[in-house]
Amino acid sequence: MTETYKKKLIEVAIPLEAINAASAKEKSIRQGHPSTLHLWWARRPLAACRAVLFAQLVDDPSSHPDKFPTEEAVEAERKRLFKIIEDLVKWENSTNEEVLERARAEIRKSCGDELPPVYDPFSGGGSIPLEAQRLGLPAYGSDLNPVAVMIGKAMIEITPKFKDMEPVHPGPKGRTHYRNAEGLAEDVKYYGEWMHDRAWESIGHLYPKVDLPNEYGGRKATVIAWIWARTVPSPDPAFADVHVPIASSFLLSAKKGKEAWIEPVVDRQAKTITYRIRTGGTKAEIFQAKAGTKAGRGANFRCLLSGSAITANHVKKSGKAGRMNQTLMAIVAQGKTQRVYLPPSSEHVAVALTATPRWKPEIKLPNHSQYVGVLGYGFESFGDLFTDRQCVALAALSDFVGAARKQALEHALSAGLADEKSAIEYADALSIFLYFTIAKLSDLANSLCRWEPVAQCPRNLFGRQAIPMIWDFAEGNVFSKASGSYPVVLKGIFNAFTKNTFHAPNEKASITQADARHFTAPSNNVVISTDPPYYDNIPYADLSDFFYGWMRYSLKDIFPAWFSTVAVPKHDELVADRMRHGGADAADKFFLDGMTDAMRRMFGQSSPDYPATIYYAFKQSEIESEGIASTGWATFLQAVIDAGFAIVGTWPVRTENASRMRGQRSNALANSVVLVCRKRKATAYTITRAEFIRALKRELPPAISELQAANIAPADMPQSAIGPGMGVFSRYKAVLESDDSPMTVKTALQLINRELDEYLGGIQGEFDADTRFAITWFEQAGMNKGEFGVANNMATARGISVESVKHAGIIESAGGKVRLLPRDELDPDWEPESDTHLTIWECLQHLVRIHQAEGVAHPTALMLKKLGSRAEATKDLAYCLYDISANKRQDAKEATAYNALIADWTDLSREAAMVVEDAGSGQLDMNL
């Protein structure tokens, strides 16, 4: 197919490793990241969005043969553009105007100085429009979910309106000059503190101080948290009138040397359970404390009074009957330099019980037991997830949002804002960010926050995309200055403004509420970049109701048009939700039809001059059970292709930190794939299955070779190879099977994967005979012993003998048995220059051995340098052995070793290039 458009960088090559490293690092950013404004699930990393947009808009140098007539010139220009991206994705450069302007200049140059608008019809947490805006592009987006719309409006649409404006509050100003959103941030802080003070005046009596023992100063101290356990009636008839705790843990502090835990004191005669605080202790005592009253997985416990089992059925029955209560087990107070753990106080229990909420969220909990773990225990509405005191506190703060807005409006008018309309807009904007403090607090101030004994603080509910059941929980003091309090939350919101920028070079931005199947872009010439929900995604609309209830309560009087529904719209959310649609078939059809409609909408409104980029988030469990041709992935691709797009590239984007169990260098697939799509030509025609396979065999090998040259990690190769493979499949109107039925995407994926396997297998023919023997032996026997006769036949077929392979130093042959030598048995003093029987097998194994010990360091780079012209063959072998280890032998440890080496190949090559030969000594050394 002859292209009639200029290829963009993303259609040819991108510095994937730098993008992935920056995306993973971003996960650990806690202060100043836009995500700290309001929680949103599965938010795309800003680094990846920024890089993808840049590469989506900037021409690949191959599109300008007049400027770059040779391959060397093209490659040099690509490296220059890569360097811009590598600088662009660094978190510390998010506010670096020099770096950003360099990127904007390249975009303007490729776009003829007329910047196209970017549109994201699934804008969610707003990462893509925000980064489009940062790059100087008109940024637009829409989402069906009102919580997502509010987040997007706050970041992209509202904040730029008040760029470089001074705060309006009448108090002392924090600085003399305000940049970007610093003035707005200061006002959020001022009015947020005002709300805090008014709420304390109103309900501070519900948060009493506690008397410290003499050894801790004997003074009144602020409570940080109250530690509660849920209780149910004892299942033993002799104690049926007594509530007993069901607690996952009694551990309070796991800090070495400062261990503390709750010890239940049981009096069977009096039928009572009281609690005291213990410190220090043996390992056995700490282990027992950590176990609480658990007696197995789920809701299975033991009765402290009788020792009898408290079954999950008993717990559920008690919850449904309204007989699940809670008991105070400990109080955490703020000492002079540390947490002080105190036994429960009847006075504090009595105060907590006096809290009477006049309002609490009434939205019903969704019937999704997979994501909502509290179902079946008596929880009916989102309001049930909070204690009465928490509801009182959150409602009180929410009540003061409107009052704070009224004050801000008066102050804005007094401060001489341009006109009354501007003053109203500013006060309205301020109220949104004040609501954000309540949203953040609600995630920490509910009865599903566990106490973290390592950090010694409450943990927020949404540590993952679900509402889990928590048996013992920490009720934080919202008026303290510790984690889980309003002052700490307010500080986090303030930092989100001041430590990052929402500095847009233009104000052309808008986020609206719209169904992606029916959105209307600002023109029919937009650049589409979007992150749609995947197939059977978690239903975020259901989880969003947790926040929507408080949002609507806080803001409905200020923005009545935005809150016309009592809950987040759900039926039209584009996920294959079996609960909503009455079964798997109906849910699948809804998703495929709806996503196809949304893609067609994108197709109709996207510019033909730029590719569209579409993110797809993989579920690891789906891939593990179904492989790369999984139902969700195939269904999604089918919708993209049916809409009229041709897929011209796929880039695997990793967003998880390498410290995680499934880290960057593990055997896990990438978290997301970015699809690069072009509009399929109207002249596209139909081909047969046989023609498709011939085209694959012709076009896929050189494409895979280019991916290998770009050092795509072996674990990412199946996803990366989909791009050129689906590029062949999707550029045709249809591929017909032998019965004239159209080939499905799932079948095409399977054929692409088969060709990838054949390509990797075909690489073997390029290696020396001894290496080919070792590959086959490894594939069949791994590192285990095998019969000499089998080995002899294998060697003879390759024109060598077993003795030859033994002489190469890669096998042991004795007593009629043969085995490959593990890396730790290879000669540690091996040098490629002095080996008279050198094999690529040895080159790789020695390189892996050193890499595992040293990582990207001088010894590894030195060995790579010594391999010289054999380095590329060594890398090819790593791909080959990864495929065998991961897909045929299911040897994750061995696969990870090869994957890690390739993942570091670019850095190693860079280091190896610095290694030079010392002419005086004849030795290799590092030229620093």
Side-chain angles (χ1 to χ4, degrees), residues 809-810 821-829 842 845-846 849:
I810 58 180
L821 292 174
R823 283 186 287 275
D824 59 3
E825 292 183 25
L826 296 175
D827 180 6
D829 299 321
E842 291 170 283
Q845 300 307 328
H846 282 289
R849 174 178 57 81

Side-chain angles (χ1 to χ4, degrees), residues 119 142 512 514-515 518-523 601 605:
Y119 197 97
S142 56
T512 57
D515 188 325
H518 311 297
F519 76 89
T520 301
S523 74
R601 195 77 177 170
Q605 300 188 52

Side-chain angles (χ1 to χ4, degrees), residues 772-786:
R772 284 186 279 119
F773 169 92
I775 293 170
T776 307
W777 187 269
F778 176 70
E779 185 171 1
Q780 295 182 7
M783 307 309 290
N784 301 316
K785 289 183 178 180

Side-chain angles (χ1 to χ4, degrees), residues 46 71 206 277 396 672 852 883:
L46 304 182
E71 283 189 23
L206 294 176
I277 304 301
S672 301
Q852 287 181 314
D883 185 56

